[in-house]
Amino acid sequence: MNLVVLGAPGSGKGTQAAILSQRFDIKHVSSGDLLRDSVAREDELGKEIEGIIATGKLVPDILVLRLVREAILEEGGGKWDGWILDGYPRTAEQAEALEEVLSSARVVIDAVIFLDVDSDEVVTRLSSRRICSSCQSVYNTLNHPPKHEGKCDKCGGELVQRSDDQPETIRRRLKVYNEETVPVLDFYELRYDVYRVDGSKPIADITDEIAGLVGL
Ligand code: AMP
């Protein structure tokens, strides 16, 4: 099954995609993680990407598309039963580009999930989000704290705040989301089954709802 999950930054896309990936052997493809992996390589391109992410703007389409295309078309040796795309597409142009990639590879999107969360809630969530610097697991000091403060439950790594989870950058990211990403919903509503899910519910309830809606 191939899924696209849409929603504002902080709506829980990454959290849900990670759970669904583990539970149903679907590959989690996060454009943000792919870009952060490039940054971690510390080459010229990585430095350029790091600078863009830090401002909350979008990384140029051509760079992101290349990473996403490789990830979703990679064979994976039969390990995965499809993919769940998180953070891509973020603009109508990216949605069009993805259509072209998929149609030339004869691959289809089975369903689109939209996680609906109001913007005040999103700002609160992003400000209290913490990430494991080692395994990238996501926590939230308000509603999903680690068992031991500052330490990852899974690997014991140090929890840090993402550089783009600062107030000024959060505001920019939400503006970009409202202007650029909201139109992607209209694009998909004309083509696919789009399921709107209330993203303010408990994490486990959302996962069950998504699984039921898309037939996993
Ligand atoms: P995320 O982890 O999805 O919140 O993404 C973090 C940052 O990576 C975004 O604020 C953008 O700067 C960049 N990014 C992630 N996905 C995309 C995309 N599809 N197109 C352009 N930039 C992206």
Side-chain angles (χ1 to χ4, degrees), residues 9-10 13 30-33 35-36 49 52-61 64 68 86-91 94 126 129 162 164-165 169 173:
K13 300 186 299 292
S30 154
S31 52
D33 285 348
L35 290 166
R36 282 183 287 275
I49 293 173
I52 300 171
I53 291 179
T55 64
K57 291 186 193 163
L58 294 180
V59 173
D61 282 358
V64 194
V68 168
D86 148 26
Y88 192 97
R90 253 176 161 91
T91 64
Q94 290 186 358
L126 291 175
R129 175 159 75 176
R162 264 171 52 174
D164 57 345
D165 281 345
T169 317
R173 289 164 67 202

Side-chain angles (χ1 to χ4, degrees), residues 22-98:
Q22 266 209 322
R23 195 173 299 172
F24 300 105
D25 295 326
I26 305 172
K27 184 176 186 183
H28 178 190
V29 178
S30 154
S31 52
D33 285 348
L34 291 169
L35 290 166
R36 282 183 287 275
D37 290 346
S38 299
V39 170
R41 284 197 281 279
E42 292 184 342
D43 53 14
E44 274 309 304
L45 183 61
K47 284 187 194 130
E48 197 184 318
I49 293 173
E50 184 175 28
I52 300 171
I53 291 179
T55 64
K57 291 186 193 163
L58 294 180
V59 173
D61 282 358
I62 185 134
L63 293 178
V64 194
L65 180 64
R66 201 181 65 214
L67 295 170
V68 168
R69 187 206 284 125
E70 274 171 21
I72 58 179
L73 299 184
E74 188 190 63
E75 279 296 332
K79 185 172 185 298
W80 303 110
D81 208 3
W83 38 258
I84 180 160
L85 198 44
D86 148 26
Y88 192 97
R90 253 176 161 91
T91 64
E93 290 76 22
Q94 290 186 358
E96 304 253 16
L98 181 63

Side-chain angles (χ1 to χ4, degrees), residues 75-125:
E75 279 296 332
K79 185 172 185 298
W80 303 110
D81 208 3
W83 38 258
I84 180 160
L85 198 44
D86 148 26
Y88 192 97
R90 253 176 161 91
T91 64
E93 290 76 22
Q94 290 186 358
E96 304 253 16
L98 181 63
E99 290 294 297
E100 279 180 31
V101 165
L102 296 180
S103 77
S104 53
R106 295 183 198 284
V107 174
V108 294
I109 293 171
D110 295 296
V112 176
I113 298 138
F114 170 56
L115 286 177
D116 201 0
V117 179
D118 80 41
S119 45
D120 288 345
E121 166 80 11
V122 153
V123 173
T124 309
R125 283 189 190 182

Side-chain angles (χ1 to χ4, degrees), residues 142-155:
L142 298 178
N143 59 17
H144 178 43
K147 291 197 184 81
H148 303 284
E149 202 186 322
K151 292 270 171 260
C152 177
D153 293 350
K154 293 182 191 149
C155 74

